[in-house]
C-alpha cells in the first residue's frame, strides 16, 4: 500500500487538476463527513457545551428503549420475510428456466420502488372494515373491527414485502457471477439439484446473501413511512417515528434529545453492517474466472406450477394492494362501495387542480428530485473519475464516508441537516432552514452514492487508454471531460440520474423532518392527508406517484440495453 | 523530433520497485525496442516516459527539456509524445476523421488547415476515404493505422508503441511490422517500441533494450544481442540459447578462448577480462551444435525429447553427467532419433557470458 501523502496524490496532476480534486474532496467532505460529525457533536455537547446529561436522560427514558426494541423487532422480522421471499425468488429466477423473467423481475422489484408510505397506504386498503375494495366485494369485516395492519405484525409483513426485492437484487447479482462450471462439476459428480444448491450455490452465495440481509435490516431500521402509517395510530412507536413525533411536538428545543436518538438509530444500523463483516471474516468466497453464463436448470413438468406460484406472489404483493389503492382513489368517500354509479375522478381532479399543497408538492418534488439528480451528475462523474482512474488513499476513505448519508437511516441525515442549518450559515449570513433548499442539500448528500455507483461501474468498463490518448493529444482535464469522458460515461450517468430522480421524487423520511409550509414534498402530502383522515385524497396522490414511478422504471428498462452492465439494477 | 535521455530512472509502487535505476539514451530518429518478459517493468518505463506516472528518482529529458525528476513533472498533455496503445484507444463516439483530428482540435486548428492535415495523415497510413467511418467498423490492422495517423498528425517529438501487435492475428503481424518500419523510414521519428516478442524487436529495432525485474540488463543492436548476450537471462530470452557451465582453459586475446565444456576443449568467443581457470557460463546457440558420428570427437548425450516443428526438429539433449543441462539443437528433416537414444554432440562455438 502506498503511503498516504499529498505529494504522491498530486504528483502527476497539473495545477488545474489539483484544484478540481481539492474542490471535489471539499464538497464530498461537506456533504458526508461534516453532517455525521455535527450530529455526533450534538450528542456529547448539546447546544455547544460539553455535557452528557441529555444523553443520559434520553438513554434512561423508558420510551427510548421501547422504541429501540420495537425498531430491532420489526427490522429483524421484516428482514427474515425479505430474505425468505427475495432469496427464494432470486434462486428461481436465476437458476431455473421459467419463462417471462424480464417482466417478472420488473414486477417483483416494483414494490421496492414504490415509496413505503404508499405501500402502507395501499395495504391499509386491503384490510380494515371501511376498505372500499372489501366493501365492493361485500367481504368487509364488521365496522369497529380494528385494521389488523395497525400492529407490529403488520409493520413486519410490509417491511418484508417492501425489502424482499433488495435481497432479490443482491443475490441475483451474485448468482450472475457464479461460474457455470462449478455447478456443472457438482452435477458431473452425481449431485442432484438440491445437493448442488446446498453444497455449491448457497455456500458461494454467502457474501451477497449476507449483504442482502444487512441491507434489508438497515433499511428496515431506517424506514419511516411504514411504521408511521401503521404504527402511529396503534401507539406502536419505533425510533424513526419517535424522532418524528418529538420534533413535531417540541420543535427545535428538543434537538439535543433528538440528536441522541438519531445517534442511537445510527448505531443500530451500523451494528447490522458490522455483523455482516463479522459473518464473512476470514473466509474465501472468491470464484475464479467467470467464463460461461449460468445455465438454468430445466425444471420440466414443474415449470407451469413454479411460474404460476411466482405470478400468484406478484398478484399478492403488488396487484392486490394497488387495486385496493385504486378502489379507494375512485370512491367519493372512504367506506363507500365502488360501483359504476359511485366511481368518480373527483379525488384525482381535486388533488391535481384544487388542493394547493398537493400542487406545490408535485412541483417541489419534481424540482427537488430533478435538481438533485442533475447537480449530482458533474459531481459524481468527477468523483468517479478520480476514484477509478486516479485511485488515491484519501479518495478511498472519502468514498466510504460518502456512503454514510445513504447507508444510515434518513433521519440521521435529516437531523444533522437541521443542526447545521438551524442558525444562519456563518460568513454568508444565509438561512435555508424552513425553506425548500435544506431538502435539496439533504437530497444531494443522501443520494450521492446512488448516482455514484452506476457511474463507477461505467468507468470500470471504459478502457483507460481512451483518456490517456486524449492526454497524449494535448487535452487538459476539462477538455478531456467534455470531449471524451462525459460522452463515454453518459449512459451510466443517465442511469444514475434517473435512479436518483425516482428515489427522491417519492422520498418521505428526510422531507418529513425537513419540510415546512410551502416546501412540502409528495411523500409529506400523502402522509399528511392520510394522517388527517383524507384517505381517498391520499390514495389519489399515491396512485399518481405510482404512475410516475412505473413510467420512469419503464423508461430505465427501455434504455437499459444502452447502459453499462449493472447500471439499471433490475435489468439484465 | 528529439533525443530522449533517461538517467537513473526509478519507479516504486509502495515497496515494489517496478523500474530500477534505468540509464538510457535514445538518439534522434532511432527505432529502439524495449524487450522483456511480462512484469519486467517495460510498460512502467513507457508510462514514465509518457508522463502517466511520476518518477520516484532520476530524471527524464526530451531534447534539452527536463520532463520528469523528483520535483518536476511535465504532464502528458504538454509533452507532445505520440502513443500507440495496445488497445488502439480509438474513441468509439467519434469518426475516424474526428479521431485523427482530435490533437489538432485541441491545438485549436480549424477550417482548411485542419481538414488538410487530417487528410494527409490518413493518406500517410493508406486510409483515404475511411474518414467518415466509426472505428468499430474497421479491422484490427486498420484501427492500428488510425492510431498511427493520430500520432503522426500531432508531429510528436517521439512515438511510443505499447505492444501494438499483441491484439492482432499472426499473419497480420508481419504486414504491420513492415508498416511500422516503413512509417519510421518515411517520418524519421524517434520511436520506442515496447514488446515481449523478441522476433518483433529483432525485425524492427536499431537497438534493443532488454529489461528484467525492473533493470536494464543489456542495450545493444539486435545482432550483438544475439551473439554476445550480457547475462544468462538475455541468452535464454533471445533466440533459443542454451546456457551451460564451463571452465576457461586458455585465453587467446582478440576475443577468443578455449573452454572445457562437458569435458571437451571447445573454441569460444569471450568478452575482455576473462581469466584462465575461471568457472564461467556459456551461451550455446543451436547453430553451434551438430551431431557427429561415433568415430569423431564429441560429447556423449542422451536424447530427452524430439519436437517436430515443420520441416525441422527441435531436439533436447542432456550431455552425459549433466542430466539437468538442457541443450537444444535444430535438425532438418528427415531425422530418425528416439527418446533415450545416445548421440554424440559436437560444439563448434559459443559465447562466454561476462561475469558480474
Amino acid at each position: 500500500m502506498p503511503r498516504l501523502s499529498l505529494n504522491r496524490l498530486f504528483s502527476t496532476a497539473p495545477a488545474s487538476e489539483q484544484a478540481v480534486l481539492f474542490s471535489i474532496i471539499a464538497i464530498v467532505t461537506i456533504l458526508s463527513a461534516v453532517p455525521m460529525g455535527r450530529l455526533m457533536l450534538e450528542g456529547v455537547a448539546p447546544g455547544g457545551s460539553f455535557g452528557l446529561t441529555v444523553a443520559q436522560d434520553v438513554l434512561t427514558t423508558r420510551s427510548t428503549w421501547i422504541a429501540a426494541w420495537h425498531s430491532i423487532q420489526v427490522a429483524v422480522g421484516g428482514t427474515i420475510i425479505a430474505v425468505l421471499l427475495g432469496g427464494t425468488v432470486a434462486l428461481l429466477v436465476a437458476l431455473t428456466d421459467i419463462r417471462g423473467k424480464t417482466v417478472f423481475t420488473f414486477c417483483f422489484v416494483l414494490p421496492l420502488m414504490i415509496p413505503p408510505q404508499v405501500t402502507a397506504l395501499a395495504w391499509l386498503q386491503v384490510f380494515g372494515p371501511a376498505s372500499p375494495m372489501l366493501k365492493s366485494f361485500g367481504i368487509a369485516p364488521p365496522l369497529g373491527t380494528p385494521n389488523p395492519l395497525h400492529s407490529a405484525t403488520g409493520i413486519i409483513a410490509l417491511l418484508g414485502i417492501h425489502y424482499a426485492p433488495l435481497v432479490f437484487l443482491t443475490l441475483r447479482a451474485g448468482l450472475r457471477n457464479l461460474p457455470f462450471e462449478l455447478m456443472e462439476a457438482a452435477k458431473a459428480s452425481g449431485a442432484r439439484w438440491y445437493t448442488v444448491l446446498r453444497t455449491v450455490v448457497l455456500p458461494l452465495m454467502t457474501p451477497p446473501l449476507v449483504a442482502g440481509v444487512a441491507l434489508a435490516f438497515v433499511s428496515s431500521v431506517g424506514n419511516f413511512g411504514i411504521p408511521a402509517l401503521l404504527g402511529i395510530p396503534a401507539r406502536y412507536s419505533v425510533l424513526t417515528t419517535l424522532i418524528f413525533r418529538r420534533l413535531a411536538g417540541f420543535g427545535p428545543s428538543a434537538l439535543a434529545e433528538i440528536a441522541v436518538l438519531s445517534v442511537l438509530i445510527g448505531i443500530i444500523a451500523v451494528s447490522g453492517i458490522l455483523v455482516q463483516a463479522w459473518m464473512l471474516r476470514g473466509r474465501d468466497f472468491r470464484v475464479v474466472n467467470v467464463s460461461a453464463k449460468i445455465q438454468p436448470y430445466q425444471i420440466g413438468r414443474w415449470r407451469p406450477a413454479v411460474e404460476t406460484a411466482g405470478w400468484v406472489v406478484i398478484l399478492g404483493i403488488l396487484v392486490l394492494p394497488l387495486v385496493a389503492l385504486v378502489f379507494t382513489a375512485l370512491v367519493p368517500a372512504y367506506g363507500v362501495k365502488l360501483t359504476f354509479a359511485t366511481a368518480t375522478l373527483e379525488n384525482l381532479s381535486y388533488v391535481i387542480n384544487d388542493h394547493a399543497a398537493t400542487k406545490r408538492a408535485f412541483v417541489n418534488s419534481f424540482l427537488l428530485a430533478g435538481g438533485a439528480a442533475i447537480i449530482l451528475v458533474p459531481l459524481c462523474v468527477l468523483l468517479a473519475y478520480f476514484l477509478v482512474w486516479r485511485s488515491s488513499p484519501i479518495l478511498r476513505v472519502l468514498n466510504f464516508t460518502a456512503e454514510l448519508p445513504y447507508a444510515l437511516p434518513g433521519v440521521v441525515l435529516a437531523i444533522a441537516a437541521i443542526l447545521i442549518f438551524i442558525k444562519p450559515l456563518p460568513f454568508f449570513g444565509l438561512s435555508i432552514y424552513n425553506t425548500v433548499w435544506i431538502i435539496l442539500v439533504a437530497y444531494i448528500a443522501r443520494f450521492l452514492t446512488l448516482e455514484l455507483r452506476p457511474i463507477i461501474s461505467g468507468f470500470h468498463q471504459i478502457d483507460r487508454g481512451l483518456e490517456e490518448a486524449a492526454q497524449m493529444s494535448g487535452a487538459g482535464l476539462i477538455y478531456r471531460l467534455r470531449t471524451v469522458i462525459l460522452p463515454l460515461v453518459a449512459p451510466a450517468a443517465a442511469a444514475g440520474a434517473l435512479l436518483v430522480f425516482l428515489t427522491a421524487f417519492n422520498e418521505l423520511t428526510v422531507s418529513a423532518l425537513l419540510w415546512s409550509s410551502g416546501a412540502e414534498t409528495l411523500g409529506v402530502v400523502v402522509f399528511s392527508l392520510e394522517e388527517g383522515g383524507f384517505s381517498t385524497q391520499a390514495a389519489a396522490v399515491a396512485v399518481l406517484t405510482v404512475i410516475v414511478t412505473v413510467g420512469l422504471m419503464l423508461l430505465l428498462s427501455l434504455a437499459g440495453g444502452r447502459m453499462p452492465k449493472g447500471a439499471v439494477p433490475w435489468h439484465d | 523530433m528529439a533525443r530522449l535521455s533517461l538517467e537513473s530512472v526509478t519507479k516504486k509502487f509502495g515497496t515494489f520497485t517496478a523500474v530500477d535505476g534505468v540509464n538510457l539514451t535514445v538518439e534522434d530518429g532511432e527505432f529502439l525496442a524495449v524487450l522483456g518478459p511480462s512484469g519486467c517493468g517495460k510498460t512502467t518505463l513507457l508510462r514514465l516516459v509518457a508522463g502517466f506516472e511520476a518518477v520516484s528518482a532520476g530524471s527524464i529529458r526530451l531534447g534539452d527539456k527536463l520532463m520528469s525528476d523528483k520535483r518536476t513533472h511535465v504532464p502528458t498533455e504538454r509533452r507532445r509524445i505520440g502513443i500507440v496503445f495496445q488497445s488502439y484507444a480509438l474513441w468509439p463516439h467519434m469518426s475516424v476523421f474526428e479521431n485523427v483530428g482530435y490533437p489538432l482540435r485541441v491545438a485549436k486548428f480549424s477550417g482548411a488547415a485542419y481538414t488538410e492535415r487530417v487528410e494527409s495523415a490518413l493518406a500517410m497510413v493508406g486510409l483515404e476515404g475511411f474518414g467518415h467511418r466509426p472505428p468499430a467498423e474497421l479491422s484490427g490492422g486498420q484501427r492500428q493505422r488510425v492510431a498511427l495517423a493520430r500520432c503522426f498528425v500531432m508531429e510528436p517529438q517521439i512515438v511510443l508503441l505499447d505492444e501494438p501487435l499483441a491484439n492482432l492475428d499472426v499473419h497480420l503481424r508481419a504486414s504491420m511490422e513492415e508498416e511500422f518500419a516503413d512509417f519510421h523510414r518515411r517520418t524519421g521519428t524517434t520511436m520506442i517500441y515496447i514488446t515481449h516478442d523478441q522476433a518483433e524487436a529483432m525485425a524492427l529495432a536499431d537497438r534493443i533494450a532488454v529489461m528484467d525485474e525492473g533493470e536494464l540488463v543489456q542495450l545493444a543492436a539486435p545482432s550483438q544481442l544475439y551473439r554476445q548476450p550480457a547475462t544468462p537471462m538475455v541468452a535464454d530470452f533471445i533466440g533459443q540459447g542454451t546456457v551451460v557451465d564451463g571452465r576457461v582453459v586458455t585465453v587467446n586475446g582478440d576475443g577468443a578462448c578455449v573452454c572445457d565444456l562437458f569435458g571437451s576443449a571447445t573454441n569460444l568467443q569471450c568478452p575482455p577480462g576473462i581469466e584462465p581457470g575461471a568457472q564461467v557460463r556459456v551461451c550455446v546457440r543451436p547453430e553451434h551444435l551438430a551431431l557427429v558420428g561415433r568415430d569423431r570427437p564429441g560429447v556423449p548425450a542422451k536424447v530427452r525429447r524430439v519436437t517436430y516443428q515443420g520441416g525441422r526438429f527441435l531436439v533436447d539433449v542432456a550431455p552425459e553427467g549433466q542430466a539437468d543441462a538442457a541443450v537444444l539443437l535444430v535438425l532438418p528433416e528427415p531425422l530418425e532419433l528416439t527418446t533415450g537414444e545416445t548421440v554424440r554432440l559436437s560444439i563448434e562455438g559459443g559465447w562466454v557470458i561476462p561475469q558480474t
Side-chain angles (χ1 to χ4, degrees), chain B residues 226-253:
Chain B
Y226 185 79
R227 286 180 293 109
Q228 303 179 339
T231 67
M233 179 265 163
V234 178
D236 186 50
F237 194 68
I238 308 277
Q240 283 167 319
T242 301
V243 179
V244 298
D245 291 320
R247 192 175 54 82
V248 181
V249 182
T250 55
V251 178
N252 306 339

Side-chain angles (χ1 to χ4, degrees), chain B residues 54 118 124 133 160 165 200 263 269:
Chain B
V118 177
M124 171 110 199
R133 294 215 195 169
L160 310 176
L165 302 182
E200 244 171 70
Q269 301 297 117

